[in-house]
Amino acid sequence: HVQLVESGGGSVQAGGSLRLSCAASAYSYSSYCMGWFRQAPGKEREGVAAMDIDGVTSYQDSVKGRFTISRDNDKNTVHLQMNSLTPEDTAMYYCAVAPRRLYTYNWRNEDEYNYWGQGTQVTVS
């Protein structure tokens, strides 16, 4: 069983930055792809970014150029550096892991991820 613990959320003014982190408790074979999702009030959860164990990244169009996902495979951690934040980025952010390589057509599919964190709130005003 993999436990995911997110940290780094908070409140920031528009234009500011936050860095989210997610630590996975289990052996890295369970974490082939690590991703970040978010859910704003009244909206469905959506994929923000993902990175597989080989370093291949995927991003939602609205965050390209502003957000950067990175991971430390030795420590089973994934980070999301968020710059130039806007109020539209306000949401609960969730870390998730998938046990297989994901591709452009399926990295946003929540069903591909088998473990999820509890979420960390990001508020941009």
Side-chain angles (χ1 to χ4, degrees), residues 50-70:
M51 187 172 192
D52 70 26
I53 201 167
D54 296 323
V56 178
T57 58
S58 300
Y59 293 96
Q60 181 193 109
D61 286 347
S62 70
V63 307
K64 286 180 179 178
R66 300 188 299 123
F67 291 12
T68 302
I69 189 170
S70 61

Side-chain angles (χ1 to χ4, degrees), residues 7-101:
S7 62
S11 297
V12 65
Q13 291 187 337
S17 299
L18 285 173
R19 178 178 170 86
L20 306 183
S21 296
C22 173
S25 63
Y27 189 56
S28 62
Y29 78 88
S30 298
S31 310
Y32 196 92
C33 181
M34 302 184 79
W36 288 96
F37 286 72
R38 67 185 180 187
Q39 187 168 23
K43 296 186 177 181
E44 294 186 352
R45 190 156 56 183
E46 61 180 3
V48 176
M51 187 172 192
D52 70 26
I53 201 167
D54 296 323
V56 178
T57 58
S58 300
Y59 293 96
Q60 181 193 109
D61 286 347
S62 70
V63 307
K64 286 180 179 178
R66 300 188 299 123
F67 291 12
T68 302
I69 189 170
S70 61
R71 62 186 287 173
D72 183 336
N73 292 332
D74 290 339
K75 297 181 179 179
N76 278 337
T77 58
V78 63
H79 307 283
L80 186 67
Q81 178 66 43
M82 305 185 295
N83 299 327
S84 301
L85 286 161
T86 74
E88 288 69 36
D89 296 315
T90 294
M92 185 71 78
Y93 283 70
Y94 299 90
C95 172
V97 299
R100 63 186 65 83
R101 180 187 295 277

Side-chain angles (χ1 to χ4, degrees), residues 33 52 58 100-108:
C33 181
D52 70 26
S58 300
R100 63 186 65 83
R101 180 187 295 277
L102 300 181
Y103 298 91
T104 302
Y105 70 89
N106 67 350
W107 74 269
R108 294 180 182 85

